[in-house]
Structure formats: structure tokens, C-alpha cells
Amino acid sequence: MILEQEKILNTYFGYESFRPGQQEVIKRVIQSTNTLAVMPTGGGKSICYQVPGLSLDGTAIIISPLISLMKDQVDSLLALGIPATFINSSLSQAEQEDRMAGVANGRFKFVYVAPERFESYGFIQVIKRIQISLVAFDEAHCISQWGHDFRPSYRSIVPNLKQIGNIPVCMALTATATEEVISDIQELLHIDNSNVINTGFARDNLAFHIVKGKDRTSYIRSFLERHTDESGIIYTATRKQADALFDQLESRGVPACKYHAGMSEQARKQAQAAFIHDEKPVMIATNAFGMGIDKSNVRYVIHYAMPMNIESYYQEAGRAGRDGEASDCILLFSPQDIQLQKFLIEQSLMDEAAKQNEYRKLQAMVNYCHTQGCLSSFVLDYFKDISFHKNCGRCSNCLEKVEKTDITEEAQMILSCVKRMNERFGVSMTAKVLKGSKDKKLLEFRLQTLSTYGLLSAYTEKEITERIHFLVAEQILGTEEGKFPTLKLNQHSIDVLKGKRTVEMYTAPIPTSEDDDFYKDLFEELRARRKQIADELNLPPYVLFSDVTLKELSRYFPVSREDMLEIKGIGEKKFEQYGEVFLEVIKKWREKHPEAKTRVKISGSITPPKPKKREEEEGPSHLVSYKLFQSGKSIRDISAIRDMKTMTIESHIFKAFQDGYPLAWDIFFNEQEEAIILAAKEQIEDPKLKPLKEALPEDYDYTKIKAVLVKNGLM
Ligand code: ADP
Ligand code: MG
Ligand code: ZN
């Protein structure tokens, strides 16, 4: 049976296979089993009701909380030649009646409505009389009071549905359900545990980065220089920040627009449209922007400042990469952000208990900024994601920190300067003293007499400031907040001053998009053509074809209908509508570029070139060691080649195994040795290695023991 559904996925949507969870959901819905799908943003929830909606007889009713999303979805379906419509308060009365008449005649396969529609007697009367294929609650967390966007009208649909009576199956879909919300939805819509399909929250195409101690505006400028033409959102914490950043970037000719609640509705609408229609690639906004934006080709989301909690962060950052393409989520962290968020909580009208709760969530956000571990795993743990996850290998903590520099001496100078200044000044005055500035205020305070005056005069004031910010971000230097935040020493500062610990400053490289295995100029031509057609039809460009599709076209340049149907996102329906036009663009381009090499796409298996990995060529350090090991080198050789301790190489290799890579264990031990070590381990309570080693024969070294423990998941 699922074959038929695969055919629909192919013909209409041009996709080759189902994504995780889709098939399980679709199968249940087809069998009239109420089902809940919990999938991450961009996981492909729409397909879960669109495929059964096309497969079953009758009209599918989709309940969606956001008017703008309905329009997008309907436009996408219409672009595929599927009869669909939406009915909501944005339409005139006459238009609503006209569409309702269409619904009554069974003209549509899909009807999108806002929850309030179920309070209309007329609406209920009409749908009572038609054949319904399914009812889907999109963004189903809105149904629960435990959810973050509770909509009472969503909940009150349920009793109204009961009186309709001719509904064969209900389904619910959401990306943001906690346990409470899930069981609430289950109870309301009568969904058994076995019919909850939860694929977790992981977003494998997003790379998270934390950037500390950098001048934010310069960072953003450098980033944008490397990402011209790519769409992205920059979130600021306040309207003021948004205005200031917008002015700075605009004056440098960056094609940006801005969006916040302080602007007129008209101006906001215009900004949003310019962004969605690919006219301005950069959107600078507060968190007022983004709800109901389904733009699929957002390649990066930068947070200019730390947001208030991980929920908001993940939701905002998650607007990147809905199309499944690799995208970056960057958080520019500065310790002042914590103060700002605390202030915002303090100022709010929440009661004391609610405030405490917000402080707790804020602390988790701060911990995220300071963790040394994998950022993706941190977030998934925070959401108690049930699926198995390991280090992502993409985030700024998993990637090697490049450009490490030892700044212990500079740090000591900075710290002793703070001490000499009696911990009474902030970052900028401290930097001025170290620089040896002739600043008027500095002279007034007679700070030029300090022994640390001009100690770092070889550096620019900005470089000194950056180092101070870095020390604060790393909690090597504390701050005390008042009207003017001042620098304070803490225990870590003392350790550094006493030479008990060193300080290494690192800079994570600015992420760049490296998938250059397609012809960029052809991509640009296709994009221009897409934009032209989209404008004629008054549609967002990504509704016609996603960027993924255009990239595939510029990689394989198909010449025929058959070739074209092999491209991701082009099924027969899409081809009928736009295929020829794009074939024409490709043909013309090829005439101009006869040297361009054709690549053949054979169902699913892509012939060379292989897409480049987005990590540096080599990949994470432990995998570099692992690969050398697999190529036959001994641990000692690798340690010589890489100039690292043998212990480190060993742990690299074991880590690779824990990441799921295969290892030939017989290099480390034989069966008998394994049995002896495991038996000894059984006897010894102490989890440390030393007692175990002592209990074993002399020739059992640490490597052998560790290997057995790692293999057996005991370490
Ligand atoms: P969600 O609602 O879960 O956030 P969408 O339904 O908007 O996600 O889908 C996100 C993107 O993934 C869309 O561009 C969609 O066309 C694409 N997509 C969905 N299912 C598949 C699939 N099986 N293969 C390839 N792309 C898919
Ligand atoms: Mg969706
Ligand atoms: Zn990671």
C-alpha cells in the first residue's frame, strides 16, 4: 500500500524517498488511525498530511494557527496543480462565501482554516455534508495549555468535531511538544502511545556556533562578506540594537531590511516581503519577526546577543535550513547580555514564581554559552530528547578551535591592571589604561600614574578590549553590575595571576558555505528566472522551486524531461508547469559553456564529484587519528606524525568507536584477555582504572584494559 504513497511523493513533490517518521505517520492515517507526529522544524510534517490527503477520497481539513503560513502552503499546493484553498478572516466576506461554496461542492483536496472557523455554524453545516478525508491539527502544541502558544480556540474545536461525526481520522503535528503537551494532545484526540511518532528535535543540517569576545559588528560584516546573496536573519535583543545595526550595515551598502514592533505595520510588511521575495537577503530583526515565516532557504541565523532562554533560541535559530541544506546558527555572546536579560525579567509583570522560573531558564542559556561540550547535544539534552545522539561534529565545540594563541601574559597584565584600578572601572577605561591613552577622564582620575599604564601599548585599544571581553566570557574575570558595570577579580583571576593556569584565546573560524560542486553562475541565472516567474505569479520564489532544486539543476544540468524528473523537488506535476522554462535556461547556458562537465544523476546515487564536507577537509581531530589508524599506522606512528601524546591518539581512536566507527579489536586484545579483564572488572567495585590494573597480571597494560572497557561500553 505504501507503494502508492511513494508514487504520490514522487509524482507530485518530486522526492525520492520518505524522511524519517513520514512513512510511519502516513501508514497510520491511511488506516484511519489517529496519529500524533512530533518532528523538528523542517522535518517534513506537511507531507505527512498532504500525501494521505491526496491518496484518500474527499477533502482534507488542515487547521493552522497562522494566516501567513496557510497562504504559503496553499500557494505551494496550487503550484503543484493540486486544488487547495484557505478560509480565514483576511478574506472579504464575499470571497469567504465563494470559497465555502467550493468546499460544499467538494472542489478542493485541501482546505486550510484557522481554529476559529469551527465556531462558525455555517462552516460546521457545510463540512457535515461533504466527504472528509482527514482533519489535521498543524502546530498542535497550540491545543495544550502547557504549550507555549496556547490558543483556546484550538482546544474548543474538539467538542465541535464530535458533533460533525463524519471525520474518519484526526492527526496532530508539532515540532515543540514537551511530555505534558504530548499527553495532553493524546488525551484530547484519543491517540494511543503506539501512534505517537516522535523523531526527536535534532536538526542534522544546522551547525551551531558560539562566538565570544569579538566585536559583534565587525564579525557580522566579515561574515556577510563571505555570504553575499545568501538569505539570513540577524536577531537582536532590542529594537535599539536592531536600528543601530541596520544603520551601520546599510551605510556600508549591505542589502538589509529590518523588522521590529516599533515600526509601522506598513513598513514591517514591506520589509518582510522584500526578505521573502529574495529582494533583500539580510533581515535584521527582534524576536517579533519570524512567526509564520516558512522561507525555506534561510542559510544562517545570527544572534547579535544572547536570547532569554533555550526555547526561544532554538525556535529562532531553527528558522535556518528548513530545506534541509547545511546552515549556520551563530550566537555572538557577550557577558553584558546576561545583565540585559536579567533586567528584562526584572522589569516584566510576571509574579515572583514565574520570574524565578525565567531566571532558571536564563541560567541554562548562559550554561549553553559556556559549555565545552557539543552544542547540539546540549540543546537536545535540555529538551530531554529521547532519541540517541552523539557529538554532532559540526558545532563550534566539536570542530577544532583554530588559531589558538597563548595569552597568559597579556591576561596577567590585564588582571593586575584591574587590581591596580581597585576594581572600580569598566572594560573601556581598563583598556585605555593598558594602552596608555591620554583620555581626559583617565587623566582626571590620575590613572596614568599606575604601574600598568601603557603596559599593552603594542596592541590597539580594540585588541585589548577584545581580550578583556574574552576573559570575561571565559569567566576568568568577573563583572559587577551597577549603572556602570565594573570589572572584578575572581578565583580564576587569582589562579592566572599566580601562574597556576594558562589562558588560551581561540577564535572559531567564520563558517563558510563550501558546497561549490555546482555551477554558481548557472545557479544565479536559474534564480533570476525563478524570481521573474514568481513575481509574475505574485508568489515567494521558494514556493516554485527550492534552492536545493536549483542547486541540483546547476550540478547535473538535465537536458530532457526524464533527466529533469530525477532532480530533487521536481515531479511530473512541477515539470508540467515550469519544466520547459528552466530546461531552456540550462540549454542556453550550456551553449555558452560547452566545457562544463555533465554529471549524470542516477536515481539517488550521485556520480562524482562528491559534495565536500562542510568541516575542514580533515574533519574532527579524533577522526583524523582514526583514519590514520585504519590505514594501518600504529598508535606510536600516529603520535609522531601528529605530534600528540600516544594517550591522546588512543583516546581519539576509542572516541571514534563510540561515535559508531568500526574498530578491529584484536589489535588490542584477544578473546581470553577480554574475558579475564571483564571478570576482574566484575570483582572490583572501584570505578577507577588503577585498582583494576593492579588486580590483573603485569603484562595487561592500560591500553589493553581501556580497550576492553570501551568495547564493552563500560567506559
Ligand atoms: P515542517 O512543517 O516539519 O517544519 P515542511 O513540511 O515545511 O516542514 O518541510 C520542510 C521541507 O522539507 C520542505 O521544503 C519540504 O518540501 C521538504 N521535504 C519534506 N519531505 C521531504 C522528503 N521526503 N524528501 C525531501 N524533501 C522533503
Ligand atoms: Mg510545518
Ligand atoms: Zn557538536
Side-chain angles (χ1 to χ4, degrees):
M1 173 176 51
I2 208 74
L3 268 179
E4 186 203 328
Q5 278 73 48
E6 232 162 41
K7 182 127 190 10
I8 293 178
L9 185 74
N10 251 269
T11 325
Y12 282 93
F13 301 95
Y15 299 136
E16 214 159 290
S17 53
F18 285 109
R19 291 231 187 108
Q22 287 179 333
Q23 207 160 326
E24 287 86 337
V25 175
I26 292 168
K27 200 175 78 193
R28 285 172 172 76
V29 174
I30 299 274
Q31 293 167 345
S32 305
T33 308
N34 287 1
T35 307
L36 165 62
V38 185
M39 294 179 185
T41 310
K45 289 186 283 298
S46 317
I47 290 286
C48 292
Y49 55 78
Q50 285 167 346
V51 168
L54 286 167
S55 167
L56 297 166
D57 288 333
T59 305
I61 312 277
I62 318 298
I63 305 154
S64 164
L66 294 160
I67 290 178
S68 57
L69 285 191
M70 289 182 204
K71 181 160 178 354
D72 248 29
Q73 295 261 356
V74 168
D75 284 343
S76 302
L77 289 171
L78 292 174
L80 293 168
I82 299 167
T85 193
F86 64 86
I87 302 172
N88 63 34
S89 54
S90 75
L91 302 171
S92 70
Q93 196 59 36
E95 182 68 42
Q96 288 185 26
E97 277 163 21
D98 187 43
R99 291 186 184 195
M100 274 315 290
V103 175
N105 292 330
R107 202 167 83 209
F108 304 110
K109 284 304 284 178
F110 295 91
V111 179
Y112 287 75
V113 295
E116 289 76 15
R117 194 58 33 183
F118 281 82
E119 287 154 21
S120 144
Y121 177 76
F123 178 75
I124 301 281
Q125 289 315 305
V126 168
I127 60 171
K128 257 185 175 171
R129 276 182 276 121
I130 61 170
Q131 184 177 8
I132 293 176
S133 54
L134 60 91
V135 171
F137 291 78
D138 205 2
E139 313 291 343
H141 54 274
C142 296
I143 213 172
S144 168
Q145 7 203 355
W146 307 108
H148 50 81
D149 285 321
F150 177 49
R151 300 256 303 236
S153 58
Y154 240 90
R155 207 174 175 89
S156 60
I157 295 173
V158 180
N160 289 335
L161 277 185
K162 293 217 175 89
Q163 37 146 329
I164 295 170
N166 60 336
I167 294 169
V169 60
C170 277
M171 58 190 301
L173 309 105
T174 176
T176 51
T178 59
E179 275 167 45
E180 286 152 324
V181 174
I182 290 180
S183 55
D184 206 14
I185 296 173
Q186 278 186 265
E187 202 170 304
L188 272 165
L189 300 179
H190 306 290
I191 299 170
D192 294 340
N193 283 340
S194 61
N195 299 318
V196 176
I197 309 299
N198 188 337
T199 63
F201 299 87
R203 302 276 313 270
D204 293 337
N205 60 323
L206 300 186
F208 292 93
H209 306 261
I210 301 272
V211 176
K212 295 179 192 175
K214 286 260 158 194
D215 180 67
R216 313 180 203 231
T217 315
S218 341
Y219 182 91
I220 288 175
R221 283 219 312 272
S222 322
F223 183 92
L224 294 181
E225 274 164 24
R226 290 173 172 76
H227 293 261
T228 44
D229 293 339
E230 288 184 347
S231 271
I233 307 174
I234 304 175
Y235 278 111
T236 60
T238 61
R239 297 177 194 178
K240 224 168 99 189
Q241 280 176 354
D243 286 332
L245 183 65
F246 175 78
D247 291 343
Q248 275 169 323
L249 294 182
E250 205 196 26
S251 69
R252 292 181 177 261
V254 174
C257 43
K258 73 172 169 183
Y259 188 108
H260 61 63
M263 295 160 53
S264 72
E265 195 185 331
Q266 170 76 359
R268 271 183 286 156
K269 262 198 178 152
Q270 265 175 9
Q272 180 166 325
F275 181 63
I276 290 196
H277 291 269
D278 281 348
E279 274 145 26
K280 298 266 173 84
V282 185
M283 170 58 92
I284 301 164
T286 61
N287 62 6
F289 177 75
M291 265 300 251
I293 305 292
D294 239 352
K295 186 171 164 61
S296 66
N297 58 343
V298 174
R299 284 282 72 81
Y300 59 87
V301 171
I302 299 179
H303 277 76
Y304 182 85
M306 183 187 73
M308 67 192 297
N309 55 42
I310 292 183
E311 285 85 348
S312 336
Y313 180 62
Y314 204 58
Q315 189 177 47
E316 287 158 18
R319 296 193 173 120
R322 295 184 79 101
D323 54 10
E325 287 283 278
S327 309
D328 293 301
C329 306
I330 300 166
L331 198 165
L332 303 177
F333 172 74
S334 162
Q336 295 120 271
D337 300 343
I338 306 173
Q339 260 23 79
L340 175 63
Q341 292 300 346
K342 281 189 179 162
F343 173 78
L344 293 175
I345 296 173
E346 212 36 61
Q347 289 259 304
S348 72
L349 298 172
M350 286 180 277
D351 64 34
E352 206 40 49
K355 276 184 184 171
Q356 286 312 317
N357 196 29
E358 288 305 316
Y359 281 125
R360 243 201 341 271
K361 288 183 172 177
L362 175 61
Q363 190 54 48
M365 185 75 240
V366 175
N367 294 346
Y368 172 83
C369 296
H370 287 308
T371 180
Q372 304 282 324
C374 171
L375 296 174
S376 314
S377 303
F378 186 99
V379 173
L380 295 178
D381 284 343
Y382 179 81
F383 288 120
K384 303 196 175 65
D385 185 286
I386 42 144
S387 57
F388 171 76
H389 51 267
K390 50 182 191 205
N391 288 354
C392 74
R394 300 180 304 274
C395 73
S396 54
N397 284 350
C398 280
L399 291 175
E400 277 288 273
K401 306 244 174 14
V402 293
E403 297 174 42
K404 268 191 193 166
T405 27
D406 189 307
I407 59 157
T408 311
E409 261 181 46
E410 291 94 326
Q412 286 169 336
M413 292 176 186
I414 292 168
L415 296 173
S416 71
C417 189
V418 170
K419 197 169 159 196
R420 297 275 139 75
M421 292 166 77
N422 290 325
E423 304 176 83
R424 283 178 42 227
F425 294 89
V427 176
S428 97
M429 189 55 84
T430 310
K432 284 191 164 72
V433 171
L434 284 158
K435 173 72 194 165
S437 146
K438 297 259 177 330
D439 181 81
K440 216 174 101 210
K441 268 249 204 69
L442 185 156
L443 300 176
E444 263 170 39
F445 284 116
R446 302 197 46 76
L447 295 171
Q448 74 279 24
T449 60
L450 296 178
S451 59
T452 52
Y453 182 73
L455 210 52
L456 287 175
S457 58
Y459 292 83
T460 65
E461 209 173 298
K462 203 169 142 203
E463 285 167 339
I464 303 173
T465 308
E466 205 166 275
R467 280 160 179 72
I468 300 176
H469 279 309
F470 180 80
L471 295 181
V472 177
E474 291 288 292
Q475 297 174 321
I476 292 171
L477 186 53
T479 50
E480 191 165 85
E481 298 305 321
K483 197 156 168 217
F484 305 102
T486 55
L487 295 171
K488 293 271 182 252
L489 300 186
N490 60 25
Q491 190 52 49
H492 300 297
S493 328
I494 311 226
D495 291 346
V496 172
L497 279 169
K498 286 191 175 158
K500 279 199 201 153
R501 64 174 277 187
T502 56
V503 183
E504 267 191 339
M505 184 151 120
Y506 52 81
T507 37
I510 290 181
T512 48
S513 33
E514 282 180 27
D515 54 345
D516 50 4
D517 59 332
F518 60 95
Y519 287 89
K520 199 122 202 252
D521 49 342
L522 174 55
F523 177 71
E524 291 308 329
E525 282 185 28
L526 292 167
R527 217 157 77 124
R529 191 79 182 92
R530 176 181 69 176
K531 170 94 179 101
Q532 194 189 351
I533 301 175
D535 284 351
E536 280 162 17
L537 300 171
N538 195 19
L539 288 176
Y542 58 82
V543 163
L544 289 189
F545 282 129
S546 72
D547 282 11
V548 183
T549 301
L550 297 192
K551 277 185 193 165
E552 288 226 331
L553 291 175
S554 357
R555 192 176 288 139
Y556 304 109
F557 23 91
V559 291
S560 64
R561 179 175 176 277
E562 282 63 43
D563 289 354
M564 202 75 160
L565 291 178
E566 291 292 335
I567 299 292
K568 195 169 172 183
I570 304 185
E572 277 157 34
K573 300 285 170 185
K574 266 267 157 79
F575 182 82
E576 272 168 31
Q577 311 238 0
Y578 311 107
E580 295 295 344
V581 184
F582 284 85
L583 270 180
E584 193 57 30
V585 176
I586 297 170
K587 194 167 147 234
K588 284 221 177 96
W589 183 84
R590 289 225 55 197
E591 280 161 12
K592 280 186 286 172
H593 299 86
E595 77 292 352
K597 277 217 212 75
T598 318
R599 289 159 196 157
V600 190
K601 187 170 183 186
I602 313 161
S603 308
S605 72
I606 298 168
T607 44
K610 265 209 193 128
K612 243 203 220 162
K613 274 262 201 68
R614 57 178 303 112
E615 298 145 13
E616 315 151 63
E617 205 56 64
E618 296 194 320
S621 184
H622 69 286
L623 293 184
V624 175
S625 301
Y626 172 77
K627 276 183 205 139
L628 288 167
F629 186 69
Q630 289 301 88
S631 73
K633 300 223 164 17
S634 71
I635 291 185
R636 188 171 294 172
D637 285 350
I638 303 170
S639 124
I641 295 168
R642 302 204 65 199
D643 192 21
M644 290 172 164
K645 293 201 186 101
T646 48
M647 284 259 288
T648 311
I649 305 296
E650 232 170 53
S651 67
H652 280 173
I653 291 163
F654 293 156
K655 182 157 187 278
F657 170 78
Q658 284 161 338
D659 279 359
Y661 291 84
L663 257 190
W665 290 107
D666 51 7
I667 296 173
F668 294 97
F669 53 78
N670 60 36
E671 258 177 55
Q672 194 195 351
E673 289 167 332
E674 178 174 24
I676 291 176
I677 293 173
L678 289 177
K681 171 85 185 159
E682 279 280 277
Q683 303 290 315
I684 294 168
E685 303 249 333
D686 197 329
K688 287 203 272 312
L689 275 180
K690 195 146 179 260
L692 183 56
K693 163 106 176 82
E694 278 162 6
L696 286 161
E698 272 284 43
D699 55 339
Y700 281 58
D701 59 18
Y702 277 115
T703 306
K704 188 169 292 198
I705 300 171
K706 264 195 242 165
V708 169
L709 297 183
V710 170
K711 181 193 162 195
N712 289 282
L714 295 168
M715 213 179 136

